[in-house]
């Protein structure tokens, strides 16, 4: 049985690797764009490149947000507020923490604050 900290540490490690890979992709794309040899209007490669670019940037943004959530969750473990709903102050059920280790809202508050449908 793994602890919340172990699970969060594993997620942070995974996401840091994802972020490094996505950062690399952005850098490579920027370099291939920046050499002045590409004309987005006429180069058939141009649109593919833009697609890769927006995808890579979206991944960087998503992983950065995930990492911030995981680091906030680790900080809550340190100060003893992990697993407590930040809205109503009740305990977040273990099953929810297992499904979403970075969660800081209980099911009810999460449903109320951010309705899914
Ligand atoms: Zn709550």
């Amino acid at each position: 049985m793994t602890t919340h900290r172990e699970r969060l540490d594993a997620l942070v490690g995974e996401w840091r690797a994802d972020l490094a890979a996505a950062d690399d992709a952005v850098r490579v794309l920027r370099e291939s764009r920046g050499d002045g040899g590409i004309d987005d209007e006429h180069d058939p490669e141009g649109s593919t490149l833009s697609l890769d670019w927006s995808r890579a940037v979206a991944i960087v943004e998503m992983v950065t947000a995930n990492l911030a959530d995981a680091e906030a969750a680790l900080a809550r473990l340190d100060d003893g507020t992990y697993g407590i709903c930040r809205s109503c102050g009740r305990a977040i059920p273990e099953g929810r923490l297992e499904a979403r280790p970075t969660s800081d809202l209980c099911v009810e508050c999460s449903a109320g604050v951010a309705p899914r449908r």
Side-chain angles (χ1 to χ4, degrees):
M1 163 127 185
T2 53
T3 63
H4 293 305
R5 183 177 299 277
E6 282 166 349
R7 287 153 49 80
L8 283 164
D9 277 344
L11 279 175
V12 166
E14 211 175 284
W15 286 335
R16 286 220 173 105
D18 285 353
L19 186 60
D23 265 343
D24 261 5
V26 167
R27 191 173 45 76
V28 166
L29 286 167
R30 184 180 291 140
E31 278 166 8
S32 63
R33 267 188 166 185
D35 66 10
I38 292 166
D39 180 342
D40 272 346
E41 299 283 325
H42 302 106
D43 191 325
E45 295 287 308
S47 55
T48 314
L49 207 60
S50 308
L51 193 65
D52 286 350
W53 173 266
S54 39
R55 192 178 294 144
V57 169
I59 292 172
V60 168
E61 282 173 3
M62 187 190 73
V63 176
T64 301
N66 284 347
L67 269 174
D69 283 351
E71 273 158 12
L74 282 167
R76 292 197 300 279
L77 271 174
D78 285 336
D79 67 20
T81 58
Y82 184 77
I84 297 169
C85 175
R86 73 175 153 82
S87 179
C88 68
R90 284 180 299 185
I92 301 171
E94 196 63 22
R96 176 165 170 79
L97 288 173
E98 274 178 26
R100 283 198 54 200
T102 59
S103 180
D104 62 355
L105 285 172
C106 70
V107 183
E108 288 83 358
C109 292
S110 168
V113 169
R116 287 292 145 109
R117 56 184 94 170

